[in-house]
Amino acid sequence: MVTAVALAATACGPQKSESSGSSSSVSASPTAGASPDASPTADNKPGEPSKSASPSASKSASPSASASASTSPSPTVRQVMANGDDSEQVRELQARLKQLKLMSVAPTGFYGSKTTSAVKSFQSKNGLTPTGSVDEPTWKKIQAATKEPTADELRPPTVNEPDAPDARCMEGRVMCISKESRTLAWMIDGKVVSTMDVRFGSENTPTREGVFNVGWKAKEWTSTIYHTPMPYAMFFSGGQAVHYSADFAARGYAGASHGCVNVRDKGKLSALFDQVQVGDKVVVYW
């Protein structure tokens, strides 16, 4: 086994900056499952902040701003936030939606399906078109209905609240890893045993999604590509593994991995490492 392990190229390590142009061949290692989808969903993806125009903008861009009373007086509505955005403004939106009890997960800054659903619910209850995207009227109403989020509301000191488990996590022994809530839930026969915060790869070096199995484990390991420590590594897809990251513990979500699933709570991961067996299932999903 040691010989087999030594032959594997392990590609993880902390990104030095949010997006270093050196697209190392982290994703090039062979995988037991499918190769990463060419979808735009990746953890720590740069958001399209408040300047992304609504698709309806083109039809409202009439050349005239004349004061004549138009038959359709509605002004162009600028989109503020939408599915796929990742920003501090999204984090504030999520904290305000949590105040309204429309979201239960902790703010992550990523605008995914749960945020879209919460926004739709707010819009439906407040006489707005339920698009799931936040335009200026929606944002103003959300602000009026809530208070300025505190630092603890924006970044709760406790562990991120996990999503409802993916259906593929409900049988057997599974590390159930949600990219949206940024959590890992260790589950046995459909019951959550423990949860912990996790961090993923950047857009250039994404963490693969799908159903995998733990191929091998190493309590002490160093990346053979980036030469960074990977304690309590549990490899599930080529060079990608669940492992402890001192960088994640120090910088939080200001950084990213090169594709691995980083854990910042060393004590929790140590306990999980002792429980997980080679062959146990790993599900990574949005």
Side-chain angles (χ1 to χ4, degrees):
M1 174 176 162
V2 173
T3 304
V5 166
L7 292 174
T10 57
C12 282
Q15 298 268 19
K16 294 220 186 313
S17 62
E18 185 173 348
S19 174
S20 74
S22 65
S23 168
S24 312
S25 59
V26 58
S27 300
S29 52
T31 68
S35 60
D37 293 331
S39 70
T41 51
D43 188 66
N44 283 351
K45 179 173 68 174
E48 306 249 324
S50 48
K51 296 209 169 170
S52 67
S54 149
S56 62
S58 59
K59 70 177 181 183
S60 299
S62 62
S64 156
S66 62
S68 63
S70 160
T71 52
S72 90
S74 57
T76 299
V77 175
R78 185 169 63 85
Q79 183 174 290
V80 177
M81 288 169 276
N83 188 54
D85 285 355
D86 193 348
S87 68
E88 287 304 301
Q89 190 178 24
V90 172
R91 185 182 296 277
E92 180 185 343
L93 166 68
Q94 292 167 331
R96 290 179 182 271
L97 291 170
K98 194 164 186 183
Q99 289 178 17
L100 296 168
K101 304 194 182 308
L102 294 173
M103 286 192 77
S104 59
V105 298
T108 63
F110 180 78
Y111 200 124
S113 59
K114 287 188 178 296
T115 307
T116 300
S117 177
V119 169
K120 277 186 180 179
S121 179
F122 178 86
Q123 290 168 326
S124 296
K125 292 175 181 177
N126 288 272
L128 299 163
T129 304
T131 62
S133 297
V134 177
D135 55 17
E136 288 188 22
T138 299
W139 184 227
K140 286 178 179 176
K141 282 203 171 188
I142 290 174
Q143 288 175 309
T146 56
K147 61 181 178 62
E148 187 76 21
T150 65
D152 279 353
E153 286 178 311
L154 291 169
R155 288 177 171 79
T158 55
V159 174
N160 294 337
E161 186 173 344
D163 285 334
D166 185 273
R168 295 168 293 180
C169 300
M170 299 308 292
E171 292 183 3
R173 300 163 55 85
V174 191
M175 285 194 281
C176 192
I177 302 169
S178 166
K179 284 190 169 183
E180 185 168 355
S181 66
R182 297 176 180 177
T183 56
L184 181 157
W186 169 235
M187 301 181 62
I188 299 177
D189 296 331
K191 294 183 179 178
V192 176
V193 178
S194 63
T195 63
M196 56 203 74
D197 296 348
V198 291
R199 185 178 74 171
F200 304 96
S202 69
E203 190 167 9
N204 290 333
T205 56
T207 303
R208 291 183 272 274
E209 296 149 32
V211 179
F212 311 94
N213 295 94
V214 176
W216 54 283
K217 301 165 51 181
K219 189 170 184 178
E220 297 294 336
W221 190 257
T222 299
S223 168
T224 57
I225 295 178
Y226 299 104
H227 311 294
T228 51
M230 298 169 57
Y232 301 106
M234 294 174 278
F235 288 88
F236 62 87
S237 177
Q240 296 191 352
V242 174
H243 69 86
Y244 171 72
S245 167
D247 182 78
F248 182 26
R251 293 201 294 154
Y253 294 105
S257 76
H258 281 96
C260 282
V261 178
N262 290 166
V263 178
R264 60 181 166 190
D265 189 321
K266 197 170 189 177
K268 279 191 173 184
L269 185 61
S270 171
L272 177 62
F273 184 88
D274 290 340
Q275 296 174 61
V276 171
Q277 300 170 4
V278 171
D280 285 346
K281 190 159 64 172
V282 180
V283 177
V284 183
Y285 67 99
W286 278 104

